[in-house]
PDB file of all heavy atoms in Angstrom:
ATOM      1  N   THR A 593    -141.174  10.860  75.924  1.00 97.00           N
ATOM      2  CA  THR A 593    -140.038  10.050  75.498  1.00 97.00           C
ATOM      3  C   THR A 593    -138.774  10.499  76.225  1.00 97.00           C
ATOM      4  O   THR A 593    -138.386  11.668  76.155  1.00 97.00           O
ATOM      5  CB  THR A 593    -139.835  10.153  73.984  1.00 97.00           C
ATOM      6  OG1 THR A 593    -141.036   9.728  73.318  1.00 97.00           O
ATOM      7  CG2 THR A 593    -138.683   9.273  73.520  1.00 97.00           C
ATOM      8  N   VAL A 594    -138.151   9.558  76.940  1.00 97.00           N
ATOM      9  CA  VAL A 594    -136.967   9.870  77.741  1.00 97.00           C
ATOM     10  C   VAL A 594    -135.882   8.830  77.466  1.00 97.00           C
ATOM     11  O   VAL A 594    -136.159   7.697  77.078  1.00 97.00           O
ATOM     12  CB  VAL A 594    -137.303   9.897  79.247  1.00 97.00           C
ATOM     13  CG1 VAL A 594    -138.192  11.089  79.580  1.00 97.00           C
ATOM     14  CG2 VAL A 594    -137.994   8.605  79.687  1.00 97.00           C
ATOM     15  N   LEU A 595    -134.634   9.245  77.687  1.00 97.00           N
ATOM     16  CA  LEU A 595    -133.485   8.369  77.437  1.00 97.00           C
ATOM     17  C   LEU A 595    -132.334   8.799  78.320  1.00 97.00           C
ATOM     18  O   LEU A 595    -132.099   9.996  78.515  1.00 97.00           O
ATOM     19  CB  LEU A 595    -133.090   8.431  75.956  1.00 97.00           C
ATOM     20  CG  LEU A 595    -131.903   7.608  75.465  1.00 97.00           C
ATOM     21  CD1 LEU A 595    -132.105   7.219  73.991  1.00 97.00           C
ATOM     22  CD2 LEU A 595    -130.578   8.369  75.599  1.00 97.00           C
ATOM     23  N   LYS A 596    -131.621   7.830  78.878  1.00 96.00           N
ATOM     24  CA  LYS A 596    -130.370   8.112  79.587  1.00 96.00           C
ATOM     25  C   LYS A 596    -129.286   7.223  78.985  1.00 96.00           C
ATOM     26  O   LYS A 596    -129.511   6.043  78.692  1.00 96.00           O
ATOM     27  CB  LYS A 596    -130.516   7.911  81.095  1.00 96.00           C
ATOM     28  CG  LYS A 596    -130.932   6.545  81.531  1.00 96.00           C
ATOM     29  CD  LYS A 596    -131.400   6.503  82.993  1.00 96.00           C
ATOM     30  CE  LYS A 596    -130.366   6.961  83.987  1.00 96.00           C
ATOM     31  NZ  LYS A 596    -130.867   6.860  85.389  1.00 96.00           N
ATOM     32  N   THR A 597    -128.102   7.782  78.795  1.00 97.00           N
ATOM     33  CA  THR A 597    -127.046   7.100  78.044  1.00 97.00           C
ATOM     34  C   THR A 597    -126.172   6.211  78.914  1.00 97.00           C
ATOM     35  O   THR A 597    -125.364   5.440  78.385  1.00 97.00           O
ATOM     36  CB  THR A 597    -126.162   8.126  77.324  1.00 97.00           C
ATOM     37  OG1 THR A 597    -125.651   9.065  78.287  1.00 97.00           O
ATOM     38  CG2 THR A 597    -126.960   8.883  76.266  1.00 97.00           C
ATOM     39  N   THR A 598    -126.314   6.301  80.241  1.00 97.00           N
ATOM     40  CA  THR A 598    -125.559   5.456  81.149  1.00 97.00           C
ATOM     41  C   THR A 598    -126.312   5.388  82.475  1.00 97.00           C
ATOM     42  O   THR A 598    -127.452   5.833  82.558  1.00 97.00           O
ATOM     43  CB  THR A 598    -124.119   5.973  81.336  1.00 97.00           C
ATOM     44  OG1 THR A 598    -123.356   4.997  82.058  1.00 97.00           O
ATOM     45  CG2 THR A 598    -124.090   7.300  82.064  1.00 97.00           C
ATOM     46  N   GLN A 599    -125.653   4.826  83.504  1.00 96.00           N
ATOM     47  CA  GLN A 599    -126.283   4.651  84.807  1.00 96.00           C
ATOM     48  C   GLN A 599    -127.535   3.781  84.711  1.00 96.00           C
ATOM     49  O   GLN A 599    -128.554   4.017  85.360  1.00 96.00           O
ATOM     50  CB  GLN A 599    -126.609   5.997  85.451  1.00 96.00           C
ATOM     51  CG  GLN A 599    -125.395   6.748  85.967  1.00 96.00           C
ATOM     52  CD  GLN A 599    -124.699   6.002  87.098  1.00 96.00           C
ATOM     53  OE1 GLN A 599    -125.285   5.762  88.137  1.00 96.00           O
ATOM     54  NE2 GLN A 599    -123.445   5.621  86.861  1.00 96.00           N
ATOM     55  N   SER A 600    -127.446   2.758  83.872  1.00 97.00           N
ATOM     56  CA  SER A 600    -128.521   1.777  83.743  1.00 97.00           C
ATOM     57  C   SER A 600    -127.917   0.436  83.373  1.00 97.00           C
ATOM     58  O   SER A 600    -126.954   0.379  82.589  1.00 97.00           O
ATOM     59  CB  SER A 600    -129.526   2.199  82.680  1.00 97.00           C
ATOM     60  OG  SER A 600    -130.454   1.164  82.422  1.00 97.00           O
ATOM     61  N   GLY A 601    -128.466  -0.631  83.912  1.00 97.00           N
ATOM     62  CA  GLY A 601    -127.991  -1.966  83.578  1.00 97.00           C
ATOM     63  C   GLY A 601    -129.087  -2.991  83.740  1.00 97.00           C
ATOM     64  O   GLY A 601    -130.227  -2.670  84.119  1.00 97.00           O
ATOM     65  N   PHE A 602    -128.761  -4.238  83.463  1.00 97.00           N
ATOM     66  CA  PHE A 602    -129.713  -5.337  83.645  1.00 97.00           C
ATOM     67  C   PHE A 602    -128.899  -6.593  83.902  1.00 97.00           C
ATOM     68  O   PHE A 602    -128.287  -7.159  82.988  1.00 97.00           O
ATOM     69  CB  PHE A 602    -130.599  -5.489  82.416  1.00 97.00           C
ATOM     70  CG  PHE A 602    -131.736  -6.454  82.611  1.00 97.00           C
ATOM     71  CD1 PHE A 602    -132.581  -6.365  83.711  1.00 97.00           C
ATOM     72  CD2 PHE A 602    -131.961  -7.479  81.697  1.00 97.00           C
ATOM     73  CE1 PHE A 602    -133.629  -7.252  83.902  1.00 97.00           C
ATOM     74  CE2 PHE A 602    -133.008  -8.376  81.872  1.00 97.00           C
ATOM     75  CZ  PHE A 602    -133.844  -8.258  82.983  1.00 97.00           C
ATOM     76  N   GLU A 603    -128.889  -7.032  85.167  1.00 97.00           N
ATOM     77  CA  GLU A 603    -128.054  -8.150  85.586  1.00 97.00           C
ATOM     78  C   GLU A 603    -128.824  -9.023  86.566  1.00 97.00           C
ATOM     79  O   GLU A 603    -129.836  -8.619  87.132  1.00 97.00           O
ATOM     80  CB  GLU A 603    -126.775  -7.636  86.255  1.00 97.00           C
ATOM     81  CG  GLU A 603    -125.928  -6.731  85.367  1.00 97.00           C
ATOM     82  CD  GLU A 603    -124.775  -6.105  86.130  1.00 97.00           C
ATOM     83  OE1 GLU A 603    -125.014  -5.136  86.880  1.00 97.00           O
ATOM     84  OE2 GLU A 603    -123.639  -6.597  85.967  1.00 97.00           O
ATOM     85  N   GLY A 604    -128.328 -10.254  86.772  1.00 98.00           N
ATOM     86  CA  GLY A 604    -128.875 -11.132  87.791  1.00 98.00           C
ATOM     87  C   GLY A 604    -130.176 -11.817  87.428  1.00 98.00           C
ATOM     88  O   GLY A 604    -130.852 -12.357  88.301  1.00 98.00           O
ATOM     89  N   PHE A 605    -130.555 -11.819  86.157  1.00 97.00           N
ATOM     90  CA  PHE A 605    -131.811 -12.445  85.743  1.00 97.00           C
ATOM     91  C   PHE A 605    -131.599 -13.945  85.528  1.00 97.00           C
ATOM     92  O   PHE A 605    -130.481 -14.402  85.280  1.00 97.00           O
ATOM     93  CB  PHE A 605    -132.350 -11.781  84.472  1.00 97.00           C
ATOM     94  CG  PHE A 605    -131.351 -11.649  83.354  1.00 97.00           C
ATOM     95  CD1 PHE A 605    -131.130 -12.690  82.460  1.00 97.00           C
ATOM     96  CD2 PHE A 605    -130.637 -10.465  83.180  1.00 97.00           C
ATOM     97  CE1 PHE A 605    -130.223 -12.574  81.426  1.00 97.00           C
ATOM     98  CE2 PHE A 605    -129.727 -10.326  82.152  1.00 97.00           C
ATOM     99  CZ  PHE A 605    -129.505 -11.388  81.273  1.00 97.00           C
ATOM    100  N   PRO A 606    -132.668 -14.747  85.636  1.00 97.00           N
ATOM    101  CA  PRO A 606    -132.529 -16.195  85.444  1.00 97.00           C
ATOM    102  C   PRO A 606    -132.222 -16.535  83.984  1.00 97.00           C
ATOM    103  O   PRO A 606    -132.605 -15.797  83.065  1.00 97.00           O
ATOM    104  CB  PRO A 606    -133.896 -16.742  85.856  1.00 97.00           C
ATOM    105  CG  PRO A 606    -134.841 -15.606  85.634  1.00 97.00           C
ATOM    106  CD  PRO A 606    -134.053 -14.364  85.951  1.00 97.00           C
TER     107      PRO A 606
END
Side-chain angles (χ1 to χ4, degrees):
T593 302
V594 291
L595 179 151
K596 59 195 301 182
T597 55
T598 189
Q599 287 296 299
S600 172
F602 189 50
E603 301 172 282
F605 50 85

